[in-house]
Amino acid sequence: MNVKLHFPLCLFLIVLLLLCPSGANAQADETSRSWNQPVKPYRVIGNIYYVGAAEVTSFLIVTPAGHILLDGGFAETAPQIKQNIARLGFRLQDVKILLNSHAHFDHAGGLASLKEMTGARLMASEADAALLANGGQGDFHFGNRLSYSPVNADRILHDRDRVELGGVSMTAYLTPGHTKGCTTWTMKVKEGRKKYDVVFVGSTTVPGYKLVGNSLYPTIADDYARTFRVLKGLPCDVFLASHGSFYSMQEKAELLARRKQPNPFIDGRGYKRFIKQTEKAFREQLGKERRAPTTRGV
């Protein structure tokens, strides 16, 4: 399957967006608006449905006992997610669990609203739960610039904790670096007679961070290195992520709509390629900083 991977462009846009002081009003800049364009919801594979926007992703995992929603997009994405769930024929009030990939405003901005609308329990890693409770303020790199409505986690997750509902088991792998509590989620899904390993990558990009001598995050380089080791060890058949461009979402969705077989989201090679290329970018930046004259601070 020849699907183009657009994450280098996305990385540039992430840097541009996150450097823009518009956290309190995410739609004030062109990049945010383009990322938040509406997308027709669809079934990805098995019991996994796409209910997010054009670039910032949200996934609905459907079970007989209620549903799990992974990521809330921007604050302005929450109404889209609500509408998309209804368009698929599901009920918003059946969402029982909210999960988060990482606590940046383009993935967590809508969580407070969604929690209020659904009454669902929010589960997050310890480090990102603290950032969620602060509404994004006090971030090690962005400070208070990318704020959103605070939201409290109902359950604190640790590495390899499981979230279970209606026969579905999702495992939280701590993959820090992008945020201190960035989380990659895995689960198994059945399509036809086969079962597949699904990986929802939190993020592995380094959007302008200081990797050497970072006094606000001294272990950042070690955390990124560990994250890549963890991700390379995960079995992956179905590659999904917090940004659509990481896994060529638009191209794959178009193929899926044309009933392309096998399911285009079954893309273990794409997963390996993404991890390899983002690790290369991380290593290159780390090497550049280590060769630079010694500086202090962040």
Side-chain angles (χ1 to χ4, degrees), residues 9-20 22 25-37 53-56 74 105-106 243:
L9 174 59
C10 180
L11 177 56
F12 169 76
L13 292 174
I14 287 173
V15 175
L16 180 64
L17 172 62
L18 295 182
L19 291 178
C20 179
S22 58
N25 183 8
Q27 303 310 291
D29 67 277
E30 184 178 349
T31 301
S32 294
R33 290 193 294 272
S34 69
W35 284 7
N36 201 42
Q37 290 301 302
E55 174 62 16
V56 289
F74 296 107
F105 79 132
D106 50 340
H243 282 272

Side-chain angles (χ1 to χ4, degrees), residues 54-256:
E55 174 62 16
V56 289
T57 65
S58 295
F59 300 95
L60 186 72
I61 295 92
V62 174
T63 90
H67 313 317
I68 301 169
L69 181 63
L70 172 57
D71 275 345
F74 296 107
E76 294 85 351
T77 315
Q80 292 186 41
I81 294 171
K82 176 183 177 181
Q83 182 181 45
N84 286 341
I85 291 173
R87 290 179 68 185
L88 289 168
F90 301 112
R91 302 192 313 164
L92 186 68
Q93 57 265 41
D94 287 336
V95 174
K96 304 301 182 184
I97 296 174
L98 295 176
L99 302 177
N100 183 224
S101 60
H102 58 283
H104 282 156
F105 79 132
D106 50 340
H107 308 282
L111 290 177
S113 176
L114 288 164
K115 189 170 191 253
E116 182 178 359
M117 287 190 290
T118 62
R121 298 179 66 213
L122 173 62
M123 304 179 186
S125 67
E126 184 173 6
D128 272 15
L131 195 57
L132 291 169
N134 288 335
Q137 296 192 27
D139 181 87
F140 73 88
H141 183 76
F142 304 110
N144 299 337
R145 299 200 305 275
L146 304 180
S147 61
Y148 48 85
S149 295
V151 59
N152 293 317
D154 300 291
R155 177 185 170 189
I156 300 299
L157 299 171
H158 303 93
D159 191 36
R160 307 201 183 192
D161 276 355
R162 293 186 178 181
V163 172
E164 298 181 340
L165 182 69
V168 169
S169 180
M170 299 185 68
T171 302
Y173 285 87
L174 296 188
T175 49
H178 193 75
T179 63
K180 293 183 179 181
C182 185
T183 305
T184 290
W185 291 93
T186 68
M187 64 177 285
K188 290 185 180 295
V189 70
K190 187 175 181 180
E191 179 90 327
R193 297 182 179 181
K194 294 184 179 180
K195 286 188 177 181
Y196 298 96
D197 289 300
V198 183
V199 179
F200 302 87
V201 175
S203 184
T204 52
T205 63
V206 186
Y209 294 168
K210 183 176 176 60
L211 299 175
V212 176
N214 190 327
S215 62
L216 295 181
Y217 193 173
T219 62
I220 185 170
D222 289 341
D223 281 357
Y224 266 110
R226 176 187 175 278
T227 283
F228 285 113
R229 289 195 299 272
V230 169
L231 293 177
K232 284 186 284 188
L234 294 179
C236 179
D237 301 308
V238 178
F239 171 32
L240 304 171
S242 59
H243 282 272
S245 57
F246 288 179
Y247 62 100
S248 303
M249 180 183 75
Q250 181 178 344
E251 293 88 345
K252 291 176 180 176
E254 291 173 355
L255 291 173
L256 187 70

